[in-house]
Amino acid sequence: KKDMSDNKVMLSIGSVSNLTRRQLESLVEVHRCHVEPVDARALIYPNQREQEISNVVKNLKNNIENHRIIGIITTSEEEAILDLKSIAESLNISEDDVTQRIAFGLAEITQNIIDETGEMIQGLYTSGGDVTVAVCKQLKAKGIEVRDEVLPLAVYGTIIGGEYDNLGLVTKGGLIGND
């Protein structure tokens, strides 16, 4: 029988709001967490993407044994927020395409961690609507069965369909909740 204390939670945080950063700081103070920064810029450029994903996955796997909660975040300081408009112009793509590349990079990291750590990951936490959608698409989910509201506009449920059917998920927008 599997020891429930071995269960881990994977955070995939795409929101860059100040509130999200404060919430993450509060979480790290209270729980054993390892949060790996992801170079969002590297996820945008195809020639850097795979290396960044590989490095982040390796670092997370190296830290998973000692932490109940592991995760990824695209920025921890306001100064690090990317100018999506100028990046989009330089690549001749839309700003939405830029954010999708970042979101799907985070989703790919999330799936790699789930796949490469056996059944250790028993729950996901996503923040940022585009990240939640990307994670669900990456996991080939048909949807999310919402079970309850954790707090207003933050929900708990399970993934429906795909090979990750019934995996627990909590999701919220970047501007939801307090510290």
Side-chain angles (χ1 to χ4, degrees), residues 2-11 64 67-70 110 113-115 117-125 139 147 156-159 163-170:
K2 187 169 167 25
D3 181 358
M4 292 302 278
S5 67
D6 289 341
N7 290 350
K8 313 275 183 189
V9 174
M10 170 77 188
L11 314 174
I64 195 168
H67 300 89
R68 288 284 316 273
I69 301 168
I70 61 166
T110 302
I113 287 297
I114 295 169
D115 290 349
T117 58
E119 294 181 358
M120 290 175 121
I121 303 297
Q122 292 294 307
L124 297 178
Y125 169 88
L139 299 181
R147 302 253 170 103
Y156 161 74
T158 55
I159 288 179
E163 80 184 84
Y164 308 94
D165 187 50
N166 217 29
L167 180 64
L169 175 81
V170 172

CSV table of all heavy atoms in Angstrom, one decimal, residues 2-11 64 67-70 110 113-115 117-125 139 147 156-159 163-170:
chain,number,residue,atom,x,y,z
A,2,LYS,N,0.5,2.2,-0.8
A,2,LYS,CA,1.3,3.4,-1.0
A,2,LYS,C,1.1,4.3,0.3
A,2,LYS,O,0.0,4.5,0.8
A,2,LYS,CB,0.8,4.2,-2.2
A,2,LYS,CG,1.6,5.4,-2.6
A,2,LYS,CD,1.1,5.8,-4.0
A,2,LYS,CE,1.6,7.2,-4.4
A,2,LYS,NZ,2.8,7.7,-3.8
A,3,ASP,N,2.3,4.9,0.7
A,3,ASP,CA,2.3,5.8,1.9
A,3,ASP,C,1.8,7.1,1.4
A,3,ASP,O,2.4,7.8,0.5
A,3,ASP,CB,3.7,5.8,2.4
A,3,ASP,CG,3.8,6.8,3.6
A,3,ASP,OD1,2.8,7.4,4.0
A,3,ASP,OD2,4.9,6.9,4.2
A,4,MET,N,0.6,7.6,1.9
A,4,MET,CA,0.1,8.9,1.4
A,4,MET,C,1.0,10.1,1.7
A,4,MET,O,0.9,11.1,1.0
A,4,MET,CB,-1.3,9.1,2.1
A,4,MET,CG,-2.4,8.2,1.7
A,4,MET,SD,-2.7,8.2,-0.1
A,4,MET,CE,-3.7,9.6,-0.2
A,5,SER,N,1.9,9.9,2.7
A,5,SER,CA,2.8,11.1,3.0
A,5,SER,C,3.8,11.3,1.8
A,5,SER,O,4.5,12.3,1.8
A,5,SER,CB,3.5,10.8,4.3
A,5,SER,OG,4.4,9.7,4.2
A,6,ASP,N,3.9,10.3,0.9
A,6,ASP,CA,4.8,10.4,-0.2
A,6,ASP,C,4.2,11.2,-1.3
A,6,ASP,O,4.8,11.6,-2.3
A,6,ASP,CB,5.2,9.0,-0.8
A,6,ASP,CG,6.1,8.3,0.1
A,6,ASP,OD1,6.8,8.9,1.0
A,6,ASP,OD2,6.2,7.0,0.0
A,7,ASN,N,2.9,11.5,-1.2
A,7,ASN,CA,2.2,12.3,-2.3
A,7,ASN,C,2.7,13.7,-2.4
A,7,ASN,O,3.0,14.3,-1.3
A,7,ASN,CB,0.7,12.3,-2.0
A,7,ASN,CG,0.0,11.0,-2.2
A,7,ASN,OD1,0.6,10.0,-2.7
A,7,ASN,ND2,-1.2,10.9,-1.8
A,8,LYS,N,2.9,14.1,-3.6
A,8,LYS,CA,3.5,15.4,-3.8
A,8,LYS,C,2.5,16.3,-4.6
A,8,LYS,O,1.6,15.7,-5.3
A,8,LYS,CB,4.7,15.3,-4.7
A,8,LYS,CG,5.7,14.3,-4.2
A,8,LYS,CD,6.6,14.8,-3.1
A,8,LYS,CE,7.6,13.7,-2.7
A,8,LYS,NZ,8.4,14.1,-1.6
A,9,VAL,N,2.6,17.6,-4.5
A,9,VAL,CA,1.8,18.5,-5.3
A,9,VAL,C,2.8,19.3,-6.2
A,9,VAL,O,3.8,19.7,-5.8
A,9,VAL,CB,1.1,19.5,-4.4
A,9,VAL,CG1,0.3,20.6,-5.2
A,9,VAL,CG2,0.1,18.8,-3.5
A,10,MET,N,2.3,19.4,-7.5
A,10,MET,CA,3.1,20.2,-8.5
A,10,MET,C,2.4,21.5,-8.8
A,10,MET,O,1.2,21.5,-9.1
A,10,MET,CB,3.2,19.4,-9.8
A,10,MET,CG,3.8,20.1,-11.0
A,10,MET,SD,5.5,20.2,-10.9
A,10,MET,CE,5.8,21.3,-12.3
A,11,LEU,N,3.1,22.6,-8.6
A,11,LEU,CA,2.6,24.0,-8.9
A,11,LEU,C,3.1,24.4,-10.2
A,11,LEU,O,4.3,24.3,-10.6
A,11,LEU,CB,3.1,25.0,-7.9
A,11,LEU,CG,3.2,24.7,-6.4
A,11,LEU,CD1,3.9,25.8,-5.6
A,11,LEU,CD2,1.8,24.5,-5.9
A,64,ILE,N,12.8,16.7,-5.6
A,64,ILE,CA,11.4,16.2,-5.2
A,64,ILE,C,11.4,15.4,-4.0
A,64,ILE,O,10.5,15.4,-3.2
A,64,ILE,CB,10.8,15.5,-6.4
A,64,ILE,CG1,9.3,15.3,-6.1
A,64,ILE,CG2,11.5,14.1,-6.7
A,64,ILE,CD1,8.5,14.8,-7.4
A,67,HIS,N,10.9,17.5,-0.7
A,67,HIS,CA,9.8,18.5,-0.6
A,67,HIS,C,8.4,17.9,-0.9
A,67,HIS,O,8.3,17.1,-1.9
A,67,HIS,CB,10.1,19.6,-1.7
A,67,HIS,CG,11.4,20.3,-1.4
A,67,HIS,ND1,12.6,19.8,-1.9
A,67,HIS,CD2,11.7,21.4,-0.6
A,67,HIS,CE1,13.6,20.6,-1.5
A,67,HIS,NE2,13.1,21.5,-0.7
A,68,ARG,N,7.4,18.3,-0.2
A,68,ARG,CA,6.1,17.8,-0.5
A,68,ARG,C,5.5,18.6,-1.7
A,68,ARG,O,4.6,18.1,-2.4
A,68,ARG,CB,5.1,18.1,0.7
A,68,ARG,CG,5.4,17.2,1.9
A,68,ARG,CD,4.8,15.8,1.8
A,68,ARG,NE,3.5,15.6,1.2
A,68,ARG,CZ,2.4,15.6,1.9
A,68,ARG,NH1,2.4,15.8,3.2
A,68,ARG,NH2,1.2,15.4,1.3
A,69,ILE,N,5.9,19.8,-1.8
A,69,ILE,CA,5.4,20.7,-2.9
A,69,ILE,C,6.6,21.1,-3.8
A,69,ILE,O,7.6,21.6,-3.3
A,69,ILE,CB,4.7,21.9,-2.3
A,69,ILE,CG1,3.6,21.5,-1.4
A,69,ILE,CG2,4.2,22.8,-3.4
A,69,ILE,CD1,3.0,22.6,-0.5
A,70,ILE,N,6.4,20.9,-5.1
A,70,ILE,CA,7.4,21.4,-6.0
A,70,ILE,C,6.7,22.2,-7.1
A,70,ILE,O,5.5,22.1,-7.2
A,70,ILE,CB,8.2,20.3,-6.7
A,70,ILE,CG1,7.3,19.3,-7.5
A,70,ILE,CG2,9.1,19.5,-5.7
A,70,ILE,CD1,8.0,18.4,-8.5
A,110,THR,N,5.3,20.4,-16.6
A,110,THR,CA,4.4,19.7,-15.7
A,110,THR,C,4.1,18.3,-16.1
A,110,THR,O,4.3,17.4,-15.2
A,110,THR,CB,3.0,20.5,-15.7
A,110,THR,OG1,3.3,21.9,-15.3
A,110,THR,CG2,2.0,19.9,-14.7
A,113,ILE,N,7.3,16.1,-15.4
A,113,ILE,CA,7.5,15.8,-14.0
A,113,ILE,C,6.5,14.7,-13.5
A,113,ILE,O,6.9,13.8,-12.8
A,113,ILE,CB,7.3,17.1,-13.1
A,113,ILE,CG1,8.5,18.0,-13.3
A,113,ILE,CG2,7.1,16.7,-11.6
A,113,ILE,CD1,9.8,17.3,-12.8
A,114,ILE,N,5.2,14.8,-13.9
A,114,ILE,CA,4.3,13.8,-13.6
A,114,ILE,C,4.8,12.4,-14.1
A,114,ILE,O,4.8,11.4,-13.4
A,114,ILE,CB,2.9,14.1,-14.1
A,114,ILE,CG1,2.3,15.3,-13.5
A,114,ILE,CG2,1.9,12.9,-13.9
A,114,ILE,CD1,1.1,15.9,-14.2
A,115,ASP,N,5.2,12.4,-15.4
A,115,ASP,CA,5.6,11.1,-16.1
A,115,ASP,C,6.9,10.6,-15.5
A,115,ASP,O,7.0,9.4,-15.4
A,115,ASP,CB,5.7,11.4,-17.6
A,115,ASP,CG,4.4,11.6,-18.3
A,115,ASP,OD1,3.3,11.4,-17.7
A,115,ASP,OD2,4.4,12.0,-19.4
A,117,THR,N,8.2,10.9,-12.5
A,117,THR,CA,8.4,10.7,-11.0
A,117,THR,C,7.4,9.6,-10.5
A,117,THR,O,7.0,9.6,-9.4
A,117,THR,CB,8.1,12.0,-10.2
A,117,THR,OG1,6.8,12.5,-10.6
A,117,THR,CG2,9.2,13.1,-10.5
A,118,GLY,N,7.0,8.8,-11.5
A,118,GLY,CA,6.1,7.7,-11.1
A,118,GLY,C,4.8,8.2,-10.7
A,118,GLY,O,4.2,9.1,-11.4
A,119,GLU,N,4.3,7.8,-9.6
A,119,GLU,CA,2.9,8.3,-9.1
A,119,GLU,C,3.1,9.3,-7.9
A,119,GLU,O,2.2,9.4,-7.1
A,119,GLU,CB,2.1,7.1,-8.7
A,119,GLU,CG,1.7,6.2,-9.9
A,119,GLU,CD,0.8,5.1,-9.5
A,119,GLU,OE1,0.5,4.9,-8.4
A,119,GLU,OE2,0.5,4.3,-10.5
A,120,MET,N,4.3,9.9,-7.8
A,120,MET,CA,4.5,10.8,-6.7
A,120,MET,C,3.6,12.0,-6.8
A,120,MET,O,3.1,12.5,-5.7
A,120,MET,CB,5.9,11.3,-6.7
A,120,MET,CG,7.0,10.3,-6.4
A,120,MET,SD,8.6,11.0,-6.6
A,120,MET,CE,9.2,10.8,-4.9
A,121,ILE,N,3.3,12.6,-8.0
A,121,ILE,CA,2.5,13.8,-8.1
A,121,ILE,C,1.0,13.3,-8.0
A,121,ILE,O,0.5,12.7,-8.9
A,121,ILE,CB,2.8,14.5,-9.4
A,121,ILE,CG1,4.3,14.9,-9.5
A,121,ILE,CG2,1.8,15.8,-9.5
A,121,ILE,CD1,4.7,15.9,-8.5
A,122,GLN,N,0.3,13.7,-7.0
A,122,GLN,CA,-1.1,13.4,-6.8
A,122,GLN,C,-2.0,14.6,-6.9
A,122,GLN,O,-3.2,14.4,-6.7
A,122,GLN,CB,-1.2,12.6,-5.4
A,122,GLN,CG,-0.6,11.3,-5.4
A,122,GLN,CD,-1.2,10.3,-6.4
A,122,GLN,OE1,-2.4,10.1,-6.4
A,122,GLN,NE2,-0.4,9.7,-7.3
A,123,GLY,N,-1.4,15.7,-7.1
A,123,GLY,CA,-2.2,16.9,-7.2
A,123,GLY,C,-1.5,18.0,-8.0
A,123,GLY,O,-0.3,18.1,-7.9
A,124,LEU,N,-2.3,18.8,-8.7
A,124,LEU,CA,-1.7,20.0,-9.4
A,124,LEU,C,-2.3,21.2,-8.9
A,124,LEU,O,-3.5,21.2,-8.5
A,124,LEU,CB,-2.0,19.9,-10.9
A,124,LEU,CG,-1.5,18.7,-11.7
A,124,LEU,CD1,-1.9,18.8,-13.1
A,124,LEU,CD2,0.1,18.7,-11.6
A,125,TYR,N,-1.5,22.3,-8.9
A,125,TYR,CA,-2.0,23.6,-8.6
A,125,TYR,C,-1.6,24.5,-9.8
A,125,TYR,O,-0.4,24.5,-10.1
A,125,TYR,CB,-1.4,24.2,-7.3
A,125,TYR,CG,-1.7,25.6,-7.1
A,125,TYR,CD1,-2.9,26.0,-6.5
A,125,TYR,CD2,-0.8,26.6,-7.6
A,125,TYR,CE1,-3.1,27.4,-6.3
A,125,TYR,CE2,-1.1,27.9,-7.4
A,125,TYR,CZ,-2.2,28.3,-6.7
A,125,TYR,OH,-2.5,29.7,-6.5
A,139,LEU,N,-2.1,17.5,-21.0
A,139,LEU,CA,-2.5,16.2,-20.4
A,139,LEU,C,-3.6,15.5,-21.1
A,139,LEU,O,-4.1,14.5,-20.7
A,139,LEU,CB,-2.8,16.4,-18.9
A,139,LEU,CG,-1.7,17.0,-18.1
A,139,LEU,CD1,-2.2,17.2,-16.6
A,139,LEU,CD2,-0.4,16.2,-18.1
A,147,ARG,N,-15.3,20.2,-8.1
A,147,ARG,CA,-15.9,19.6,-6.9
A,147,ARG,C,-16.3,20.6,-5.9
A,147,ARG,O,-17.3,20.5,-5.1
A,147,ARG,CB,-14.9,18.6,-6.2
A,147,ARG,CG,-14.5,17.5,-7.2
A,147,ARG,CD,-15.1,16.2,-6.8
A,147,ARG,NE,-14.9,15.2,-7.8
A,147,ARG,CZ,-14.0,14.2,-7.8
A,147,ARG,NH1,-13.2,14.1,-6.7
A,147,ARG,NH2,-13.9,13.3,-8.7
A,156,TYR,N,-11.4,23.6,-6.7
A,156,TYR,CA,-10.8,22.3,-6.6
A,156,TYR,C,-11.6,21.3,-7.5
A,156,TYR,O,-12.9,21.4,-7.5
A,156,TYR,CB,-10.8,21.8,-5.2
A,156,TYR,CG,-10.6,20.3,-5.1
A,156,TYR,CD1,-9.4,19.7,-5.3
A,156,TYR,CD2,-11.7,19.4,-4.8
A,156,TYR,CE1,-9.2,18.4,-5.2
A,156,TYR,CE2,-11.5,18.1,-4.7
A,156,TYR,CZ,-10.3,17.5,-4.9
A,156,TYR,OH,-10.1,16.2,-4.9
A,157,GLY,N,-10.9,20.4,-8.1
A,157,GLY,CA,-11.6,19.4,-8.9
A,157,GLY,C,-10.7,18.3,-9.3
A,157,GLY,O,-9.6,18.2,-8.8
A,158,THR,N,-11.1,17.6,-10.3
A,158,THR,CA,-10.2,16.5,-10.9
A,158,THR,C,-10.3,16.6,-12.4
A,158,THR,O,-11.2,17.1,-13.0
A,158,THR,CB,-10.7,15.1,-10.5
A,158,THR,OG1,-12.1,14.9,-10.8
A,158,THR,CG2,-10.5,14.9,-9.0
A,159,ILE,N,-9.2,16.2,-13.0
A,159,ILE,CA,-9.1,16.1,-14.4
A,159,ILE,C,-9.9,15.0,-14.9
A,159,ILE,O,-10.0,13.9,-14.3
A,159,ILE,CB,-7.6,15.9,-14.8
A,159,ILE,CG1,-6.8,17.2,-14.6
A,159,ILE,CG2,-7.5,15.5,-16.3
A,159,ILE,CD1,-5.4,17.2,-14.9
A,163,GLU,N,-4.9,10.1,-19.9
A,163,GLU,CA,-4.2,9.2,-19.1
A,163,GLU,C,-4.0,9.7,-17.6
A,163,GLU,O,-3.5,9.0,-16.8
A,163,GLU,CB,-2.9,8.7,-19.7
A,163,GLU,CG,-1.7,9.6,-19.6
A,163,GLU,CD,-0.5,9.0,-20.4
A,163,GLU,OE1,-0.4,9.3,-21.6
A,163,GLU,OE2,0.4,8.4,-19.8
A,164,TYR,N,-4.4,10.9,-17.4
A,164,TYR,CA,-4.3,11.5,-16.0
A,164,TYR,C,-5.6,11.7,-15.4
A,164,TYR,O,-5.8,12.5,-14.5
A,164,TYR,CB,-3.5,12.8,-16.1
A,164,TYR,CG,-2.2,12.7,-16.8
A,164,TYR,CD1,-2.1,13.0,-18.2
A,164,TYR,CD2,-1.1,12.2,-16.2
A,164,TYR,CE1,-1.0,12.8,-18.9
A,164,TYR,CE2,0.1,12.1,-16.9
A,164,TYR,CZ,0.2,12.3,-18.2
A,164,TYR,OH,1.3,12.2,-18.9
A,165,ASP,N,-6.6,10.9,-15.9
A,165,ASP,CA,-8.0,11.0,-15.4
A,165,ASP,C,-8.0,10.9,-13.9
A,165,ASP,O,-7.3,10.1,-13.3
A,165,ASP,CB,-8.8,9.8,-16.0
A,165,ASP,CG,-10.3,9.9,-15.7
A,165,ASP,OD1,-10.8,11.0,-15.9
A,165,ASP,OD2,-10.8,8.9,-15.2
A,166,ASN,N,-8.8,11.8,-13.3
A,166,ASN,CA,-9.0,11.8,-11.8
A,166,ASN,C,-7.9,12.4,-11.0
A,166,ASN,O,-7.9,12.4,-9.8
A,166,ASN,CB,-9.3,10.4,-11.3
A,166,ASN,CG,-10.4,10.5,-10.2
A,166,ASN,OD1,-11.2,11.4,-10.2
A,166,ASN,ND2,-10.3,9.5,-9.3
A,167,LEU,N,-6.9,13.0,-11.7
A,167,LEU,CA,-5.8,13.7,-11.0
A,167,LEU,C,-6.4,15.0,-10.4
A,167,LEU,O,-7.1,15.7,-11.0
A,167,LEU,CB,-4.7,14.1,-12.0
A,167,LEU,CG,-3.4,14.8,-11.4
A,167,LEU,CD1,-2.7,13.9,-10.4
A,167,LEU,CD2,-2.5,15.2,-12.5
A,168,GLY,N,-6.1,15.2,-9.1
A,168,GLY,CA,-6.6,16.4,-8.4
A,168,GLY,C,-6.0,17.7,-8.9
A,168,GLY,O,-4.8,17.7,-9.3
A,169,LEU,N,-6.8,18.8,-8.9
A,169,LEU,CA,-6.4,20.0,-9.5
A,169,LEU,C,-7.0,21.2,-8.7
A,169,LEU,O,-8.2,21.1,-8.4
A,169,LEU,CB,-6.8,20.2,-10.9
A,169,LEU,CG,-6.5,21.5,-11.6
A,169,LEU,CD1,-5.0,21.6,-12.0
A,169,LEU,CD2,-7.4,21.6,-12.8
A,170,VAL,N,-6.2,22.1,-8.3
A,170,VAL,CA,-6.7,23.4,-7.7
A,170,VAL,C,-6.2,24.5,-8.7
A,170,VAL,O,-5.1,24.5,-9.1
A,170,VAL,CB,-6.2,23.7,-6.3
A,170,VAL,CG1,-6.6,25.1,-5.9
A,170,VAL,CG2,-6.7,22.7,-5.3
